[in-house]
Amino acid sequence: MRVLGIETSCDETGVALYDTQAGLLADALYSQISMHAEYGGVVPELASRDHTRKLLPLIEEVLASAQLSRSDLDGIAYTAGPGLVGALMVGAATAHGMARALNIPVLGVHHMEGHLLAPMLEDAPPAFPFVALLVSGGHTQLVEVRGLGQYRLLGESVDDAAGEAFDKTAKMLELDYPGGPAVARLAERGDPTRFRFPRPMTDRPGLDFSFSGLKTHTLITANRLREAGEFDEQGRADIARAFEDAVVDTLVIKCRRALDQTGLKRLVVAGGVSANVRLRERLEQETAKRGAQAFYPRGRFCTDNGAMIAYVGAQRLLAGERDDSTMKAVPRWPL
Ligand code: KG4
Ligand code: ZN
């Protein structure tokens, strides 16, 4: 079954073709990051308009690169949520319109399920069951995954998501949007011994996260340095390092607990923050210590992309799931 996947939930237009026998045939991505950068964050109305401009050309691009035409498609999958409602509607309307014209099935899928199963696109994918740490701009969750659609939430953030904390810290440090990669780059030059930031909610049992206190701690430290005239390149790098170490430590501690609690030996780490190099290094050490193994998507499939949506859609369409004639755009939707 050849499935076209469409991702338009936020600021990336992603399109891909997945074949349930041959695997990933093609994928293309258009990032709106530079357009939103001057506003310091995603402007929803601009995002929707840009998806409208870029989506059809990207669909033509992936079909051409796989040397296929629309009539070769057996199904279409699109991100139905969670995300920005206007942006979601561009993908949903396009998917439903095309599917109606081609008389093929169409299915709206969950964006976070896409992230969760993105490592399945790699050469050595994890077998079920596994623990998944989902760390993106909107979510921080630990999930026990027993199979397609068999998800048990183990813990999640009670306030900010990890990626959101990175983005807000970047603003405090006067770095550009998106913040995660910028904070990580600056942290490389930071002194890890100058500050020690709190590891929120690690001193009590449980698998929930909280990052808003850490954000406040970062702000207070930044203000203190500013008043002392030490908010220079080194001071900012030292804050970035202390912040990154605190987030990474917190995530690693909770992953360790989740593996212990479930007795599982496989850990999937996905979503934008899974691109963080220090997080990967620490998780490699931790999993190696306990005879477990960590799995990640390749770099460009850590952040939003069409391939993960094509993959999830293909599995579910193959199992017979499809939308009725109503398109779905669900801004808030639990996994
Ligand atoms: O999964 P994603 O592309 O979009 C959402 O579904 O939210 O994740 C984007 C998030 C942003 O908050 C971004 O700052 C963060 O992932 N991010 C990183 C890194 N690369 C992206 N955070 C830390 N380190 C990175 N290298
Ligand atoms: Zn995402």
Side-chain angles (χ1 to χ4, degrees):
M1 187 175 204
R2 280 196 205 107
V3 175
L4 177 75
I6 295 175
E7 156 63 37
T8 63
S9 66
C10 190
D11 59 348
E12 328 265 357
T13 317
V15 177
L17 273 170
Y18 185 85
D19 184 315
T20 47
Q21 266 153 21
L24 189 66
L25 302 178
D27 79 284
L29 187 79
Y30 175 79
S31 174
Q32 306 177 348
I33 281 176
S34 57
M35 181 181 78
H36 297 292
E38 70 174 287
Y39 303 98
V42 179
V43 183
E45 179 59 23
L46 294 182
S48 316
R49 290 178 191 214
D50 217 38
H51 286 307
T52 308
R53 273 191 291 269
K54 291 297 182 329
L55 185 52
L56 288 174
L58 279 184
I59 292 172
E60 293 311 322
E61 189 184 319
V62 294
L63 285 170
S65 81
Q67 294 182 313
L68 294 172
S69 64
R70 291 181 182 210
S71 58
D72 295 313
L73 296 174
D74 303 306
I76 303 180
Y78 63 96
T79 300
L84 303 168
V85 70
L88 290 168
M89 281 170 70
V90 177
T94 306
H96 268 261
M98 268 183 79
R100 179 76 68 96
L102 296 167
N103 198 22
I104 55 175
V106 57
L107 182 69
V109 305
H110 198 291
H111 179 79
M112 297 311 290
E113 185 177 32
H115 279 304
L116 188 75
L117 298 181
M120 296 300 189
L121 293 161
E122 299 309 311
D123 287 338
F128 296 120
F130 54 76
V131 168
L133 172 70
L134 286 177
V135 268
S136 72
H139 294 79
T140 301
Q141 296 182 323
L142 274 163
V143 185
E144 182 182 338
V145 180
R146 297 249 151 221
L148 182 75
Q150 290 176 263
Y151 312 129
R152 185 165 72 94
L153 187 66
L154 300 171
E156 65 183 333
S157 178
V158 297
D159 42 53
D160 293 359
E164 192 179 353
F166 266 99
D167 294 335
K168 287 177 179 167
T169 294
K171 275 195 185 170
M172 292 176 210
L173 297 178
E174 296 167 6
L175 298 170
D176 286 340
Y177 163 87
V183 170
R185 261 195 312 277
L186 184 62
E188 281 170 30
R189 280 173 277 144
D191 172 0
T193 60
R194 181 161 175 199
F195 305 112
R196 185 180 164 83
F197 285 9
R199 274 64 173 154
M201 294 180 79
T202 53
D203 54 349
R204 49 184 132 142
L207 294 171
D208 284 339
F209 304 87
S210 162
F211 290 108
S212 79
L214 180 58
K215 184 182 65 186
T216 311
H217 193 93
T218 307
L219 182 64
I220 291 168
T221 311
N223 288 343
R224 222 180 55 222
L225 286 203
R226 220 180 247 115
E227 279 160 24
E230 291 172 18
F231 197 66
D232 49 14
E233 185 71 10
Q234 191 57 49
R236 289 162 59 240
D238 295 343
I239 293 178
R241 179 61 196 260
F243 168 81
E244 187 182 43
D245 281 349
V247 174
V248 167
D249 247 11
T250 307
L251 295 174
V252 169
I253 290 168
K254 299 281 166 144
C255 284
R256 194 162 61 204
R257 267 187 211 169
L259 289 172
D260 287 346
Q261 198 173 302
T262 56
L264 295 175
K265 294 282 183 199
R266 285 180 291 269
L267 176 72
V268 157
V269 191
V273 183
S274 70
N276 187 276
V277 174
R278 211 176 299 279
L279 175 65
R280 288 189 178 208
E281 283 171 0
R282 289 285 315 284
L283 287 173
E284 284 303 321
Q285 293 165 0
E286 281 301 324
T287 45
K289 256 192 251 169
R290 55 193 55 229
Q293 201 186 344
F295 297 85
Y296 315 88
R298 73 193 77 167
R300 74 174 196 283
F301 295 161
C302 285
T303 44
D304 293 348
N305 65 85
M308 63 186 195
I309 302 306
Y311 176 81
V312 169
Q315 306 309 313
R316 288 186 172 274
L317 283 162
L318 196 62
E321 284 185 51
R322 50 252 301 105
D323 282 2
D324 57 20
S325 58
T326 340
M327 67 174 209
K328 274 168 69 183
V330 193
R332 285 174 177 277
W333 180 11
L335 184 66

